[in-house]
Amino acid sequence: SPLNVSVEVNRSSLLLAGSSVTLTCRSAANPAADTYTWWYSSFFSNSSSELQVGSGQVLNIASVELAHSGTYICQAKNRVGQSRSTELLLTVEETVHPFIVLAVGIIVIILLVLPVLVIWARKRLPHSDADKENTSNDYENVIFG
């Protein structure tokens, strides 16, 4: 029967929603494994039951969703017997994290408030020594009567 059944993943097992992932089942067997079955257990299910989610040596998920988070197992089978891989844990996360939204919000606020502060500071304070001289020279020729 197949030995050393394992699952290879083409990327990190931590995925962003909307990305794709390919799982490949490998085994050593003589005769070679002729049937591969994929099993899945969800994080979000109260039961520990496995669902059959595919067949064939490769399992492609074109656009992962949160519901794809869970454990995947490959079962390899030949005419002598069958064996299963250890569990592969896949975790799918939302594409936008709340802390990213918060950081962007803070940056936008800074970019809106900073120019207002700069304009206010320029109106309130003289810019250079030349500006100070011009300000004092404005009253040189004034005759007080």
Side-chain angles (χ1 to χ4, degrees), residues 75-115:
Q75 178 179 323
K77 183 178 179 181
N78 64 10
R79 61 183 161 94
V80 178
Q82 63 187 20
S83 294
R84 293 165 60 110
S85 68
T86 57
E87 295 178 340
L88 172 74
L89 175 64
L90 285 184
T91 304
V92 180
E93 292 199 8
E94 291 289 336
T95 53
V96 177
H97 294 282
F99 73 89
I100 292 174
V101 173
L102 178 63
V104 169
I106 290 171
I107 290 169
V108 167
I109 289 171
I110 289 171
L111 292 175
L112 292 175
V113 171
L114 190 59

Side-chain angles (χ1 to χ4, degrees), residues 40-47 65-70 92:
Y40 163 74
S41 293
S42 174
F43 281 161
F44 305 109
S45 173
N46 290 334
S47 71
E65 301 172 4
L66 288 176
H68 289 117
S69 293
V92 180

Side-chain angles (χ1 to χ4, degrees), residues 10-86:
N10 69 332
R11 55 181 36 221
S12 164
S13 58
L14 176 61
L15 304 165
L16 291 179
S19 63
S20 65
V21 67
T22 300
L23 306 179
T24 304
C25 189
R26 305 266 188 233
S27 69
N30 189 7
D34 55 9
T35 304
Y36 295 91
T37 307
W38 291 93
W39 300 92
Y40 163 74
S41 293
S42 174
F43 281 161
F44 305 109
S45 173
N46 290 334
S47 71
S48 60
S49 64
E50 295 176 341
L51 299 172
Q52 183 178 344
V53 292
S55 60
Q57 193 170 4
V58 175
L59 177 67
N60 286 309
I61 305 174
S63 180
V64 294
E65 301 172 4
L66 288 176
H68 289 117
S69 293
T71 56
Y72 290 79
I73 296 173
C74 170
Q75 178 179 323
K77 183 178 179 181
N78 64 10
R79 61 183 161 94
V80 178
Q82 63 187 20
S83 294
R84 293 165 60 110
S85 68
T86 57

